[in-house]
Amino acid sequence: MKAVYMFDDLAMQRDYTGVPFSKSVPTSFFEQSSLTAQRFLTVVNDQHPDDLEEVSRQLWIRMWSKDKDISDPTSVLEAAQAAGMSEEVANKCMSKVKDQSTKEELKRITGIALESGAFGAPWILAHKDGEVKTFWGTDKIPLLAHVIGEKWEGPLKPSSNL
């Protein structure tokens, strides 16, 4: 039942936001691990934090719009290059995904999410006036904006970067 709901919900989200979801849930969503991509993003965050948003976006597009396997290092490298990283920098980041320090950092970040009560994605922690507020799901973004004092203009199809 949840899978049927999720398919319908994703289609409605695609139509509403203009974000290019595939017409079906990616096979890799259920069959592949995202660990390689998560570790790669951990390295990017540490070594090239200005590239983190676009690399994340390109990985998302590969999985959700193109049904590509983000557990495959080659696919991750293709996403990084689509994000504007040079082949040399992307390969250097990939060479660190199995380092113990990368594994420990990802465990640390995952621990923070779990300790805050995370049970799904996106899970957002907002720090405001010494308090931490948690939000789950993209439908909570307007509430997040309110809590942090930002104006929410909604999903803008013409200005989407995806």
Side-chain angles (χ1 to χ4, degrees):
M1 186 67 175
K2 182 179 179 182
V4 171
Y5 174 84
M6 190 169 84
F7 293 136
D8 290 343
D9 187 60
L10 286 174
M12 289 185 290
Q13 289 286 343
R14 180 191 64 237
D15 294 343
Y16 178 65
T17 63
V19 173
F21 288 104
S22 174
K23 297 218 182 261
S24 62
V25 172
T27 55
S28 58
F29 181 77
F30 296 106
E31 298 171 2
Q32 305 296 325
S33 168
S34 63
L35 187 58
T36 298
Q38 291 176 53
R39 287 180 181 168
F40 186 82
L41 290 171
T42 300
V43 175
V44 171
N45 187 48
D46 181 56
Q47 303 288 314
H48 303 278
D50 290 344
D51 293 326
L52 182 63
E53 181 178 346
E54 189 58 30
V55 173
S56 298
R57 180 176 287 112
Q58 292 302 321
L59 284 165
W60 189 95
I61 288 170
R62 289 189 73 73
M63 182 173 174
W64 288 100
S65 297
K66 298 179 178 179
D67 196 15
K68 300 290 184 183
D69 180 2
I70 64 168
S71 69
D72 177 18
T74 301
S75 181
V76 174
L77 290 170
E78 289 170 358
Q81 290 177 3
M85 290 183 93
S86 71
E87 183 176 357
E88 179 183 355
V89 169
N91 282 325
K92 187 173 181 181
C93 288
M94 183 59 73
S95 74
K96 296 180 180 190
V97 298
K98 293 184 179 179
D99 288 359
Q100 190 60 35
S101 60
T102 300
K103 294 176 183 180
E104 289 172 8
E105 178 63 3
L106 182 56
K107 285 179 187 177
R108 185 188 72 76
I109 293 167
T110 302
I112 291 169
L114 292 173
E115 287 172 16
S116 72
F119 53 84
W123 185 257
I124 303 165
L125 301 177
H127 299 261
K128 177 75 174 177
D129 299 327
E131 292 185 51
V132 178
K133 300 286 185 184
T134 58
F135 302 88
W136 174 61
T138 58
D139 60 322
K140 299 299 187 287
I141 292 176
L143 183 56
L144 167 64
H146 170 75
V147 167
I148 64 173
E150 292 291 329
K151 182 179 178 183
W152 169 248
E153 297 184 21
L156 305 173
K157 289 182 186 182
S159 64
S160 174
N161 290 328
L162 297 177

